[in-house]
Amino acid sequence: MTTWKDHLGDAIPADWGAEIDHFEAQMNLRKQGKIEDRVFAELRLRRGAYGQRYDNGLRHDGVQQAFLPFPNPQLTKGPDTLWDAPGMMRIKIPWGGFTAEQLDLLADLGEEYSDGILHITTRQDVQLHYVDIEDTPDLMRRLAAVGITTREACGNSVRNVTGCPMAGVCPCEAFDTTPYAEATWRFLLGHRDVQDFGRKFKIAFSGCADGACGLVSMHDMGFIARTREVDGRIERGFEVQVGGGLGAVPHVAKVLDPFVLEHEILPLTQAVARVYARLGEKTNRNKARIKFLVAKLGIDELRRLVLEERAALERDERWDEWVPTARRFQETPLAKPADDSPRDLGDDFDRWCERNVKAQRQAGFVAVTLALPLGDLTSRQARRLADIARRFLRDTMRTTVEQNIVLRWVHASDLPALYEALAAIGLARSGAESITDIVTCPGTDTCKLGISASRGLGGELLEELTARGLQHDADVQNLRIKISGCFNSCGQHHVADIGFFGSSRTVGNYRVPHFQLILGGQWAENGRHFGQAMGAVPSKRVPEAIHRLLDLYRREKSGGESFRSVVERVGRKEIKALLDDLTRIPDHAAEPDLYVDWGDARSYSIGDIGIGECAGEVVSLTEFGIAAAESLLLEAQLALDDRKDTEAPARATGLALDAMIKAAQALIKQQDPDVRDDGETVLQEFQRRFHDTGLFHDRYMGGKFAQFLFAAWEERHERPEADAAGRRIEEATLFLEAAHACHARLLAGDGTPGGGTLKIRH
Amino acid sequence: MTLHRIGIKIPLSRDLQDDARLIPVFHAWIRDQRLPEAILDVADYRHVPESPSLMLIGFDCDITLDREGGEPTLYVQRKQPLNGDLSARVLAVAATAYRVADALLAEPGLAGLAFDERRITVLSNDRLHVANDEAGEAVLHPAAATLAERLWGDAQITRAAGHPRDRLTLHVVGTHNLSPADALVRLQG
C-alpha cells in the first residue's frame, strides 16, 4: 500500500522525518501498553496533538452525563483521554508567515483529516479540530514536506514565536523584526535548554511600542525593536520584557533590559530559559509560568540571575551567524500589478478599503486584512485564496493575533481586482479590526476547559452588530470585543475594550450560562493595560448589555475620548447599575431560553438535581453568603478606582480578602451553619473541609483558587501597590467564581474532589 | 484499492432556510444514539459563508449540512475503514447518507426539507490513493457506476470541473426520482 511517507520521500527534511517516525513508534508502544498514558500525553502534546472536549468519553446531553460510544474505550492517549476520541492539531506558523503552497496543503489537510475548516488562533497558529490521532503522523509528514512543523506547538515548551503581522511594511516600526523572530524559533526548536519547563513559554516580537503589534507585554518573553546611534552608526536592538501573561490573573511584563543588541537576543533568551527551567515551579502547574517566578524574585533579582547565567554560557555559533542575513532580509512584491483595470465596485468596495486596507511604508503598496469570521475559513476558500495570493503577491501572507490573514505587498492599483476576487470566495467582509471583528477562543465548542459558548456568543454578536452596520459607525467602530470561554484568557479578553470570560451561576436547581464582563482593556501599547471586572451577565443577555454600553459610550464620551477613559470616568458603580436588571434571572419556567447556551439546544442546567428541604435552607444561606461576598468584591473594586486616595490599594486589598473569607464562610455553612465569623476560624475550617478534602478543587486547576485565599491571608498586613491590589481583586473574582462552581457541584450531589463524580448513563 | 475516505452528497431541493433548526435535532440524535454509527458532537460553522454549516461529528463518519459552492447538500464523509471492495464501500456510504436523509425527513422540526431525488455525488477525500486526475477517475468511476446502476439502472456520471486541487468529485444524475427511503431499499436489497 502506498503511504504518504513513501510518496513524499526526500521532500520531508530528514531530521523532521525521523522525529515523526519516532512519534509514530511511540504511538505503537502506547497501544501495546509499553508507554504510560501520562508520559504519552506529554509526548503527544509536544507534537502539537491536543485533547478536545468530551475526549474522556463522557458528554452531558442536557439531562445527564452519558458515555459516548467509542469502539475501544480501554485504550487511552493520556489520563482520562480516549484514544478514539477526536483531538485538535495545532500547527505552528512562526511569526504568522506562510506561502501559497503551504496554504494549499493546509486546505487539503483540513478536508482529509479535519472538518473542512482552518481555524486561525490568537497566537497566529492554525488549528484543525476533530482529528483522529491515527492520522497525525501522515498529517505531520505532509506539513513537514512544505516546511511546517507541529513540534512544540503544545506542551511545556516554547510555543509559536509570534510577531506583528505588519512587520517590514509598517510605517511606525523601528525595523523589520521578521528575521529575528525567525532566528529565535529556529534556535529554540528542540533546544536542550527549553525541554524542562514547568509550563509553556510564549515569545513575541513587535516593531514598535505604541501599537498592539505582537502584544509583547502580555507574553512570557517579548522583544520590542529599538535603534540607537553610537558614533554616527545606527545599532539595532530590542527592549526585552519578561513575565507578562494573561491567564486567570494577568501580569504586565517587566523590562529585563531596555536595549539588547541584535546579536545578543538568542544567548539572552537561552539564559532566561535556563533560569526559568532551574527555578520555575514544577509541581504546582498553576504557579509555574515565568510570570510567577518574576513576581516571586522581583525583576532585579531575575535580571541578576539571567546575566550570571548568560556570562557562564558556552558560546554557540548559532547565536549570531544569522545576523548579517537578517539585516538584508526584505520581502519582495510582484514586479507589476496583476490587474489594474478600473472597476465600478460601489460603496461596498469603498467601505472595505476604509477598514481593511492599510498603506505600507513602501509607496504604492498596501496591506489588506481579511476579516475571518471567528478566525475560520473553509478549505475551499483557503485553496482559492492560495491562487489569489499567487496572482497578486509573492508569498507575503501572515496570520494575525486577531485571527485574521493579512495580504502584504499588494500593488495599490490591484485593489479593485483583488477585492473582486476575494468577494467571489466570500473573503471580502469589511470591518477588519473593528467592533465586528470579534475574537473568541474555542470555548465549549471544542475546549475541555470551556465554561460558556464563546464562539456561540461571538457568532451571534458578529451577525447582529454587522447587521446594524457598527463596523462603519464612527462612534464605536474602533472598539474591540474579545471573548474567552473561561478565565484562562485564550480569547485575550483582558486587553479588549469590551471583554468577556465564561462563567456559570446557579438559580434554583438549574445552572445558567454567564459571561463575566471586563471593560476598558487596551489593545494598543502591546496590550499593557487590562480591563476591570464588572460582574457576570447571563449569556443570552450579553447583546443587550453591549448595546447599553455602546449607548453609554456615545452619550458620555467627549471628543475622541477612549472607551477606557469613559469607563474609568463614569465608574464601576454606575456601569453596574446600568446593567443591574440584566443580572436578575427569572426562574426556569418563566424564561427557559436563558438556561440554554448560544448555538446549543441542551439545557445548561443539571436537570436531575434533587434537593431536600433542609438542604434547600442551607443552600439559601450559602447563596446569601456568596452574594454578600460579591458586594464586598464590588466595594474593593470601587475602592481601587479612587486614585486620589493613597490608602485605596490597602483598603481594596482588605476588602478583596474579606470577600474571599465571606465566600469561604458561605460554603462552610453548607456543612456547619453555625460557623463563626472571624477570619482565622473561617480559614481553618475552609482549609479542613474544602481544601484538604479537595472539595473546592477545580477539575483542571486543582487547588489554585484556594491558594489565592491563603496567600491573601498570609499577606494581610502588607501594604500593596496599586497593581498588586488589582491582582488581588482579580484573584478574589476568581475565588468567588470557584465558590459558585463548588456550590453548584455540591447542589448536584457531586461532592468528590474536583467534581469528579458524574452521573453516568450506560 | 485502499480508498476508504469516501464522501457522498445528496443535494437539498428545498432548503431549511434556517440551519439552526438542525441543532436540536442533532443534539437529540446524540442523546438517543439515533444512528448505528458512533455520533459524538455538533459543530456550528453557520458564521462562515458557504461552509459546512452544521455538522454532526462522528467517529465513523461526519454528517454535514454543507453549503460549499452555495448549494445546500447533505454530506456524509466516511472516516474509518470499511469492508469490501471499493464499490461495496461506496454503496455502504451512500446507504448511510440515504438513511440519514430519511431520518431528517422524519423530524417534525424540519418540515419543508426535501432532497433532490435524482442526484447524488461521490467524492474521494484521499488525495494519496484516489487523486483528482484521470487515473483517480478511472478508479472511482466504476464504483460510482455500480451505485448508479443499483439506484436508477441508468444514470449519467460526470466529473466535476472544479479546482484542480479540489477532491475528485463525480456527479451522478439518475433517470427518475427516487426518495431516500426507496433509495435505501435498493441499496440494501
Side-chain angles (χ1 to χ4, degrees), chain A residues 292-353:
Chain A
F292 295 107
L293 184 64
V294 173
K296 182 175 149 193
L297 298 177
I299 188 65
D300 294 333
E301 174 62 5
L302 185 91
R303 185 183 299 115
R304 188 189 70 72
L305 289 164
V306 167
L307 293 178
E308 190 178 83
E309 192 73 38
R310 167 68 190 93
L313 283 179
E314 189 180 334
R315 176 166 169 72
D316 185 335
E317 294 299 320
R318 295 176 301 161
W319 281 349
D320 51 12
E321 63 189 7
W322 51 275
V323 172
T325 358
R327 285 190 155 242
R328 291 194 299 273
F329 175 83
Q330 173 72 65
E331 285 178 335
T332 53
L334 292 179
K336 291 181 184 169
D339 180 358
D340 54 4
S341 56
R343 287 164 168 78
D344 182 15
L345 296 168
D347 293 347
D348 287 350
F349 173 66
D350 294 338
R351 282 195 288 266
W352 177 78
C353 286

Side-chain angles (χ1 to χ4, degrees), chain A residues 218-500:
Chain A
M218 45 172 254
H219 275 77
D220 295 290
M221 188 167 189
F223 298 84
I224 298 176
R226 304 271 193 216
T227 55
R228 69 183 180 194
E229 191 174 333
V230 177
D231 300 331
R233 216 164 40 85
I234 299 295
E235 287 185 338
R236 283 184 176 190
F238 292 88
E239 176 182 307
V240 179
Q241 302 183 2
V242 288
L246 295 181
V249 178
H251 289 226
V252 176
K254 310 276 189 213
V255 176
L256 180 71
D257 192 324
F259 194 93
V260 175
L261 283 165
E262 57 188 333
H263 56 263
E264 260 301 307
I265 62 170
L266 296 190
L268 186 74
T269 305
Q270 188 180 348
V272 169
R274 287 174 65 88
V275 170
Y276 174 47
R278 193 171 75 240
L279 299 178
E281 173 66 41
K282 296 277 172 57
T283 50
N284 178 1
R285 68 192 303 275
N286 297 321
K287 288 278 182 189
R289 293 288 290 271
I290 197 173
K291 64 186 179 185
F292 295 107
L293 184 64
V294 173
K296 182 175 149 193
L297 298 177
I299 188 65
D300 294 333
E301 174 62 5
L302 185 91
R303 185 183 299 115
R304 188 189 70 72
L305 289 164
V306 167
L307 293 178
E308 190 178 83
E309 192 73 38
R310 167 68 190 93
L313 283 179
E314 189 180 334
R315 176 166 169 72
D316 185 335
E317 294 299 320
R318 295 176 301 161
W319 281 349
D320 51 12
E321 63 189 7
W322 51 275
V323 172
T325 358
R327 285 190 155 242
R328 291 194 299 273
F329 175 83
Q330 173 72 65
E331 285 178 335
T332 53
L334 292 179
K336 291 181 184 169
D339 180 358
D340 54 4
S341 56
R343 287 164 168 78
D344 182 15
L345 296 168
D347 293 347
D348 287 350
F349 173 66
D350 294 338
R351 282 195 288 266
W352 177 78
C353 286
E354 183 190 314
R355 285 298 325 180
N356 297 47
V357 178
K358 286 181 188 163
Q360 293 189 185
R361 67 181 154 83
Q362 296 85 0
F365 292 95
V366 294
V368 171
T369 301
L370 310 184
L372 304 179
L374 310 186
D376 292 339
L377 76 164
T378 66
S379 285
R380 180 185 165 89
Q381 284 177 315
R383 186 168 299 120
R384 283 151 182 80
L385 177 60
D387 286 346
I388 290 171
R390 289 187 185 95
R391 183 174 160 209
F392 292 97
L393 321 166
R394 187 171 279 164
D395 281 337
T396 48
M397 289 180 282
R398 300 207 185 180
T399 55
T400 83
V401 293
E402 292 197 274
Q403 303 179 310
N404 290 327
I405 289 175
V406 176
L407 310 180
R408 302 140 51 91
W409 292 100
V410 175
H411 286 273
S413 55
D414 272 339
L415 276 173
L418 174 64
Y419 174 79
E420 203 171 59
L422 292 171
I425 58 168
L427 287 178
R429 186 168 76 89
S430 68
E433 301 176 13
S434 78
I435 191 167
T436 60
D437 197 5
I438 293 161
V439 167
T440 77
C441 71
T444 50
D445 278 17
T446 52
C447 176
K448 292 206 263 192
L449 303 177
I451 296 172
S452 305
S454 46
R455 279 167 62 87
L457 174 60
E460 179 68 22
L461 293 175
L462 170 63
E463 186 178 341
E464 188 184 333
L465 302 182
T466 302
R468 293 177 60 188
L470 295 189
Q471 68 276 30
H472 302 298
D473 179 333
D475 281 339
V476 298
Q477 61 181 349
N478 289 324
L479 302 185
R480 280 178 161 85
I481 297 175
K482 298 183 190 294
I483 309 167
S484 302
C486 75
F487 42 77
N488 280 312
S489 311
C490 297
Q492 302 175 338
H493 57 260
H494 291 294
V495 291
D497 296 288
I498 303 174
F500 296 96

Side-chain angles (χ1 to χ4, degrees), chain A residues 532-569:
Chain A
Q532 350 171 12
M534 294 286 169
V537 179
S539 298
K540 290 286 173 72
R541 287 176 171 169
V542 166
E544 173 60 22
I546 288 180
H547 295 319
R548 291 188 191 183
L549 290 166
L550 296 182
D551 287 344
L552 173 82
Y553 180 52
R554 285 193 181 96
R555 212 166 49 234
E556 293 288 339
K557 77 173 183 158
S558 161
E561 188 177 10
S562 71
F563 189 80
R564 178 183 178 82
S565 165
V566 168
V567 166
E568 287 182 349
R569 184 161 54 73

Side-chain angles (χ1 to χ4, degrees), chain B residues 86-148:
Chain B
L86 182 56
S87 292
R89 284 179 242 147
V90 168
L91 292 178
V93 181
T96 301
Y98 279 120
R99 185 160 27 79
V100 171
D102 196 42
L104 289 171
L105 290 174
E107 285 291 338
L110 303 180
L113 172 72
F115 291 95
D116 188 322
E117 298 189 345
R118 291 179 60 174
R119 290 197 293 153
I120 190 169
T121 296
V122 183
L123 62 87
S124 159
N125 194 21
D126 181 342
R127 291 172 174 81
L128 179 67
H129 293 111
V130 179
N132 186 11
D133 55 22
E134 287 183 8
E137 185 180 1
V139 170
L140 190 59
H141 194 285
T146 302
L147 171 67

Side-chain angles (χ1 to χ4, degrees), chain A residues 1-4 7 54 59 61 63 68-71 84 86 104-105 108 111-115 117 130 132 135 142 373-374 376 378 380-381 383-384 387 426 445 455 462 599-602 761, chain B residues 2 5 23-24 27 30-33 37-52 55 57-59 62 68-69 75 77 79-80 125-129 162-163 165-167:
Chain A
M1 187 174 81
T2 314
T3 64
W4 278 110
H7 182 75
Y54 314 129
R59 179 179 183 274
D61 60 20
V63 178
L68 291 169
F70 290 111
D84 290 335
D104 270 333
L105 193 272
D108 292 354
E111 278 173 344
E112 291 180 47
Y113 303 126
S114 177
D115 55 6
I117 292 284
Y130 304 107
D132 187 336
D135 290 329
R142 294 171 75 179
L374 310 186
D376 292 339
T378 66
R380 180 185 165 89
Q381 284 177 315
R383 186 168 299 120
R384 283 151 182 80
D387 286 346
D445 278 17
R455 279 167 62 87
L462 170 63
D600 210 328
R602 292 169 293 173
R761 174 169 64 89
Chain B
T2 48
R5 296 178 198 272
I23 294 174
H27 280 289
I30 297 172
R31 186 187 64 224
D32 302 335
Q33 285 299 309
E37 292 81 9
I39 48 178
L40 312 172
D41 197 8
V42 181
D44 183 352
Y45 294 115
R46 287 175 296 153
H47 54 279
V48 185
E50 299 193 7
S51 70
M55 302 184 72
I57 303 289
F59 174 77
D62 291 336
E68 185 180 85
Y75 169 30
Q77 177 57 58
K79 302 197 289 191
Q80 297 295 330
N125 194 21
D126 181 342
R127 291 172 174 81
L128 179 67
H129 293 111
H163 191 285
R165 283 190 71 115
D166 283 343
R167 297 169 293 189

Side-chain angles (χ1 to χ4, degrees), chain A residues 21 53 61 73 178 211 233 320 333-334 346 458 487 506 570 576 605 614 702 714 721 752:
Chain A
D21 291 347
R53 203 169 181 88
D61 60 20
T178 306
R233 216 164 40 85
D320 51 12
L334 292 179
F487 42 77
T506 304
V570 171
K576 286 193 75 122
S605 67
C614 178
E714 285 296 314
E721 299 291 330
T752 53

